[in-house]
Amino acid sequence: MSMSDTVAQMAPPDRPDRRPPRRIGAPFLTTPALVFVTIGLLAPLALMLRNSFNRFDPAELMISAFTAENYVKFFTDAFYQEVLLRTLGISALATAICLVAGVPVAYFLARHVSAFAKRMLLIVILVPLLIGNAVRTSAWMLILNDRGVLASVLGVFGYEGPLGLMYTATAVTIGLVSVLLPFMIITLNSVFEAIDANLEDAAGSLGATHLTVMRRVVLPLALPGILAGTVLCFILSMNAYATPVLLGGPTFHMMAPTVYQQVAKAMNWPFGSALAFILMSVTLILTVGVSALVQRKYRRWSE
Amino acid sequence: MSEVVLQDVAKHYGDAVAVRNMTLRIADGELVALLGPSGCGKTTTLRMIAGFVDATSGRISVGGRDVTGLPPNRRNMGMVFQNYALFPHMTVAQNVAFGLEMRKVSRADAGKRVREALARVRLGQYGDRLPKQLSGGQQQRVALARALVIEPDVLLLDEPLSNLDAALRHEMKIEIRQLQQSLGLTTVFVTHDQDEAMSTADRMVLMYQGGVEQIGPPAEVFGRPRTAFAAGFLGIPNLLAGRMTPDRAGFAFEAGPTVRLQGQPPIAGRAFLALRPEEISLSTEPPATGRNALAGRVEIMTYHGSAVEYQLRTDAGPMLSARLRAPGLGGQPVLPGGTAVWAHWAPEAGVLVNEH
Amino acid sequence: MGNAQAKTIRIGYTAISVLVIGFVVLPLIFIVWMSFFSNRILSLPPEGYTLDWYRRAWQMADFRNGFFLSLRTSLIATAIALILGLPASFALARARFPGRETINTILMSPMIVPGIVGGSSLFVFFLEVEFLTGWRIAGSSPGLIAAHSLIALPWMIRLVTTSLIGMNPSVEEAARSLGAGPLTVFFRVTLPVIKPGVIAGSLFAFVNSFIDLEKSLFLVGPDRTTLQIALINYLEWNFDSTIGAVATVQIALITLLLLVTDRYAKLSRAF
Ligand SMILES: Nc1ncnc2c1ncn2[C@@H]1O[C@H](COP(=O)(O)OP(=O)(O)OP(=O)(O)O)[C@@H](O)[C@H]1O
Ligand SMILES: [Mg+2]
């Protein structure tokens, strides 16, 4: 073959500028966003962590120091521990309710509803989620207050006494559940959809009742996803601000409103910062711990 | 003139070699099929020609012009992708017009050429549809029209038929070949289906582990595979290891017996005798002299509609498969498993191939 | 398993779902309904219907200005999220590079860090910058917009990245081989193909910025309150259907935006 001849006669290589453009280093495309998040979130958080070791002074606001006194104050003052315990208790309760109420709805949407109806129902569920805390809690105030919708409805049945629901733990729990449920339902719905429906039919054809199918097949498979949804709900309710403030009233203290109160009203930045980090750490430790525990149990299940 | 020349083209991904020193010359108007098993470097080769992959070394030229460093949009090549790659947000006509628009062809002129291109692939009525409103075969024809309308120097097709069902694949195969011939387009066609390569290509390039195993017209490659891999890939299951006898007229199996060869080029060292199952006859009596024969025993017998396939264990050791016409179609009566038989073939039916 | 049993199960699930979804949605239905009551004090049954509350809400400067401030802030925040988020999404979806996971986590972190914590740290940060430099950021427009862009950014990146990952890459190569240069490919092919993701990302970014309460709480100034802050400020002292009217407008707006988004993207994928 005369290949080498042909190649020798080839036109000279094109000008260097006609080489394909080198791809701009991809990581640099993230730089503007990264800088923005670093300045807007990471740096303030770092500063906050540092501030939590400073000393508060009513005249000077903050005195640079390196002291653990803010953390000590939290763990020696029964008031703040009670706030944390109340936050934990309400969050656990609200999450549990969401789990129990969310599983059947998510399963229903995944298995028993046409594609169009599901799309519409998802929007119906998403509106309360994306409507904002201010509007949602005011809607609940409308229902729960002593002369509100619930009282009027009960009045029809002859109940006349004051409801006394507003500004209670019950009201806060109701409010939290109503915002967390959509999250739970949407998360669990995708989890159930990822499970092959044939598995359930297979189990059913082997003689398992529906409850057995759920307990032995669906829930074990869905467990990691259920765990993720539960953790999400728990975190969100640990950090809830608007619901406890508006439905719990001025004397019902939870963590996030207390952080706001310390930072923005009392201007006690060191203590407010310490509170914020205690809140985040407790939430993190609990969710990681519970996830690990559940996953250990899950592994035993699947053996 | 759009002769495509690849000179010592190689592509390395780190330590892995996707294509090793490939030298290939595709004549103007020729259709060359790149054939080979998965991962052998077909797509990489095609994408280097298209300009999507930079060659690690070597040069590529089209019509005497070195295109090695040119970006894909300056190469004037039409490419058809395995998954069609139609623009989902444009109508069929807009898809086809895109390349003309890039070439700043006037609106009126472009409209005319788009209509012609769509008519050529028999989709004249579908200009206003969106790709998702078309069937797979229709989408593939749009992709073809879109690649052809720009009057490319080279047409590149990467497994264009693999997403179609068998009937459509056959139809499209013929259509592509007819279009290519009537337009006289230099074409590279990637496939891992030998029938596709056989029925479309002027020449085929058999690739294996990044290198060229054999190049030639399909009939030649099929008839005279040169390596054990080529023979195996082209569907010859019987590969018997051995050596040519010094007089070059015989082949000594490693397993023992020697058979006669006829019309085979000399090969030094270890080689294989490739035997197509259809070339082998079976008989319970020793065959006539003049035919090569091995004694053995039927191990497995399976029906395949018009044929019966036998797996034989030869007395010398190696397995042989033979494919005979079914008894209903004039073939001999079925030989049940365990039958002692002679497998025999004409000396010119055996093809001698290199180990590598 | 009998058909009757399957039917019972179905009815059971339907009943529970109606109750649960009702619990979530009914409060909103009530607030919309009652915003038309003519009752002075909010209670059932209605004494008559009126549009007065809407007129009143419009006449209240806090609500009117709050609405426009929120609108403007969220629009600008969405635009900033678009500008910062598009390139980042491309890098995250298309390239493999060391640190990619870390960068992704950092970019998503505004979604993960609790609003109150993020808001208070930003507030303190702004004030400390002010002590040092004299620039007033907390309570200013730029400060508020920065906080809202931070809310919007992760939603944008999440949805755009998803649609980029779902895009067939040979479509871009096809355009290249047809003669389009990199910029033409981007504007004529890539952007139109991922348009649904960009729209969904923008809408989620906008909505989540619009309804934000926790971060804004720290950053609004005396005469620049967002609509959400104006709402809870009003709730502190009053409870009448003016709230209902404002809430109804917001519900209508957000439902509309969700319906629009639904046309372009699978909503559940955003979470
Ligand atoms: N971007 C890449 N990075 C690393 N290795 C690659 C890359 N692209 C291809 N390869 C490797 O190069 C070799 C050849 O790949 P190529 O896609 O060309 O094969 P192919 O012949 O087209 O196979 P198939 O029939 O499966 O499409 C393979 O081993 C593949 O793993
Ligand atoms: Mg390939």
Side-chain angles (χ1 to χ4, degrees), chain B residues 13 16-18 36-45 82 158-159 190 192:
Chain B
Y13 288 106
V17 182
S38 190
C40 70
K42 306 179 295 287
T43 298
T44 306
T45 306
Q82 178 173 349
D158 191 1
E159 310 215 11
V190 165
H192 56 243

Side-chain angles (χ1 to χ4, degrees), chain B residues 138-271:
Chain B
Q138 290 168 332
Q139 291 187 35
Q140 192 60 297
R141 294 214 292 271
V142 176
L144 199 56
R146 183 178 69 177
L148 292 177
V149 77
I150 60 171
E151 294 172 2
D153 295 331
V154 183
L155 179 63
L156 304 172
L157 306 137
D158 191 1
E159 310 215 11
L161 308 178
S162 59
N163 284 352
L164 304 177
D165 64 42
L168 256 178
R169 200 178 314 164
H170 181 73
E171 190 183 314
M172 282 297 295
K173 183 167 74 181
I174 295 168
E175 209 162 309
I176 288 175
R177 178 59 163 164
Q178 281 172 347
L179 278 172
Q180 183 265 336
Q181 283 187 328
S182 65
L183 299 171
L185 263 176
T186 310
T187 303
V188 185
F189 186 115
V190 165
T191 176
H192 56 243
D193 179 322
Q194 29 177 319
D195 290 338
E196 244 166 67
M198 185 79 156
S199 54
T200 52
D202 295 308
R203 275 193 306 154
M204 61 188 224
V205 177
L206 188 59
M207 294 182 68
Y208 178 53
Q209 291 184 346
V212 172
E213 197 76 6
Q214 190 168 353
I215 304 182
E220 182 190 306
V221 177
F222 272 88
R224 292 224 157 267
R226 280 208 302 258
T227 64
F229 165 77
F233 185 78
L234 298 173
I236 307 182
N238 301 318
L239 289 167
L240 304 165
R243 275 165 198 284
M244 225 173 188
T245 53
D247 64 359
R248 292 180 181 172
F251 186 76
F253 292 125
E254 280 172 2
T258 298
V259 295
R260 274 181 302 125
L261 291 175
Q262 197 170 313
Q264 298 301 315
I267 291 178
R270 194 166 187 254

Side-chain angles (χ1 to χ4, degrees), chain A residues 221-244:
Chain A
L221 285 173
L223 200 69
I226 292 180
L227 190 61
T230 310
V231 164
L232 178 71
C233 283
F234 183 74
I235 294 176
L236 287 172
S237 66
M238 283 295 286
N239 295 309
Y241 172 81
T243 313

Side-chain angles (χ1 to χ4, degrees), chain B residues 47 52 71-73 77-79 81 83 85-90 95 98-99 101-103 146-147 150, chain C residues 167-182 184-185 187-193:
Chain B
R47 292 168 61 81
F52 296 125
N73 49 320
M77 296 183 181
M79 177 126 176
F81 295 82
N83 50 25
L86 297 179
F87 307 126
H89 58 298
M90 299 184 193
N95 262 279
F98 187 85
E101 205 179 310
M102 293 303 118
R103 283 164 179 71
R146 183 178 69 177
I150 60 171
Chain C
M167 177 180 178
N168 172 4
S170 17
V171 165
E172 286 171 332
E173 292 181 347
R176 288 280 279 168
S177 79
L178 290 168
T184 315
V185 172
F187 285 107
R188 292 288 313 276
V189 177
T190 315
L191 217 45
V193 172

